[in-house]
Amino acid sequence: MEETAPQKGTVTQRAIERITAMIREGELEPGERLPTERELAARLGISRSSMREAIRALTVLGVVEARHGSGIYVTRLEAGDLLETFGVVADLSRGPRLVELLEVRRVLESTAAALAAARITPERLAEVEKHLAAMNATDDPEEILAHDLGFHREIAAAAGNETMAAMLEGLSSRTFRARVRRGHQEEGAFARTRREHAAIHRALAARDPEAARAAAAAHVGAVEEWLRGRLED
């Protein structure tokens, strides 16, 4: 009897859950090769087509990867790979949902800044300062925004939490368009951005977690407030 689309979806979901359980329970380790599609389908009692869909979905999620001529392998399961789809959600969000994502970014960015203030190395602090100096040395919006991204990326890395850094990477780079619109439409936005970044840098240099938290929250909050105003208009 041929499977209908809804049933097939349910079978595929069960296959996804079983494979992820195998990884979670240590039956499959990061970097390990999966059994063949035929073997997995037989083990789970499902069709090969449903198993193929499950493998395809897990590939998109960054859980497994196909290696040409070798088979399907569990990825390294790093946060950046697993959270890549999170960035897609942020990229496609508009209006009120984008404001919600900025709220999340404000919480994470301020926490990352506080952790970075306690953990940042002199070398990483120097990289943060380089991005700040580059932002101050140009009036080109694209260059300013590129160094803006680099500035925040260095701070997220300095926080020492790879999962948080991966989430911020999605939220920061995918809200690029919102910051571009702010820079072009609001007079003096880049000057304020420079001041806000300078305040964050001062707090990092002073190794003051609470000052860094407040400065980062104020910085992202300014973008959030601008966007809320645009939606109300």
Side-chain angles (χ1 to χ4, degrees), residues 13 77 117 127 131 141 203 214:
Q13 185 60 40
L77 301 178
E127 290 301 314
H131 285 296

Side-chain angles (χ1 to χ4, degrees), residues 23-38:
I23 296 171
R24 184 173 60 250
E25 293 164 8
E27 191 174 341
L28 288 170
E29 297 288 346
E32 186 175 344
R33 184 180 182 277
L34 270 68
T36 66
E37 183 183 282
R38 183 189 299 275

